[in-house]
Amino acid sequence: MRKTKLLTWIVVVLILSPIFVVLPASETSATSNTVRMEVPSQQEIVPSDSQLISPVRHRGRGAYQGLFTTTAQHGKNMIVKVQNKGKDTVYMTIKRNDSEFVSDIAIRGGSQRVQHFEEQVAIGIRGDWKIYVYSRIGAALDLRIEANQY
């Protein structure tokens, strides 16, 4: 009786454990159907399950580079917000797993760019992401950057 209860408990734990999750074929494939959309500047970032980049202020002549990883269990959506508080135009590139999703998007001085990504097929958005923001003329940067997944 005691062994049966123990075995039952172990089986239940293994079944419920995230280590043994069986993913659908679309989740395990190398390609996914993640789409990107620009969100109008007046909209704010939606509260999230996961703060990927806590609001950070970046100042100086050097480019900003942010690296983070998304996992499926934190949701199907991700938002990246870059606010250019400087007076000169800056450019933003966003990569996922070394593939460019957003390439050299101009953000004028005094404006912001909100980029929304949504995974449409898999159970959640995942990957290794890189956000790179720079000036083409070597101008001093004054940026506020954050990213969330929900």
Side-chain angles (χ1 to χ4, degrees):
M1 179 74 169
R2 194 170 174 184
K3 283 185 179 181
T4 305
K5 281 186 178 182
L6 180 60
L7 277 175
T8 303
W9 186 81
I10 290 172
V11 169
V12 169
V13 169
L14 289 176
I15 289 172
L16 297 178
S17 173
I19 296 171
F20 294 98
V21 173
V22 177
L23 299 174
S26 61
E27 183 67 15
T28 58
S29 66
T31 60
S32 67
N33 290 335
T34 301
V35 295
R36 68 175 179 82
M37 300 169 272
E38 181 181 3
V39 178
S41 294
Q42 63 270 20
Q43 290 187 5
E44 288 299 313
I45 289 182
V46 178
S48 69
D49 291 338
S50 179
Q51 184 91 45
L52 303 169
I53 298 177
S54 296
V56 63
R57 187 96 184 246
H58 177 81
R59 293 181 178 160
R61 295 203 184 276
Y64 170 82
Q65 178 174 287
L67 304 170
F68 58 88
T69 300
T70 55
T71 57
Q73 59 264 41
H74 284 117
K76 295 181 83 137
N77 295 280
M78 181 179 76
I79 292 181
V80 175
K81 178 180 176 183
V82 176
Q83 190 174 19
N84 182 0
K85 295 178 170 267
K87 60 182 179 176
D88 296 301
T89 299
V90 298
Y91 297 86
M92 173 179 68
T93 298
I94 300 176
K95 292 182 178 184
R96 175 176 151 190
N97 300 331
D98 291 324
S99 296
E100 285 191 3
F101 268 69
V102 175
S103 183
D104 295 330
I105 299 295
I107 306 170
R108 291 188 324 267
S111 68
Q112 69 180 3
R113 174 80 178 208
V114 178
Q115 200 70 47
H116 176 246
F117 297 88
E118 179 182 4
E119 179 62 60
Q120 295 187 327
V121 175
I123 60 171
I125 193 166
R126 65 181 180 178
D128 294 318
W129 296 80
K130 176 181 175 182
I131 300 171
Y132 187 70
V133 183
Y134 66 98
S135 168
R136 289 184 178 166
I137 61 171
L141 302 178
D142 187 359
L143 307 169
R144 185 175 182 277
I145 299 148
E146 63 183 293
N148 297 299
Q149 183 182 359
Y150 58 98

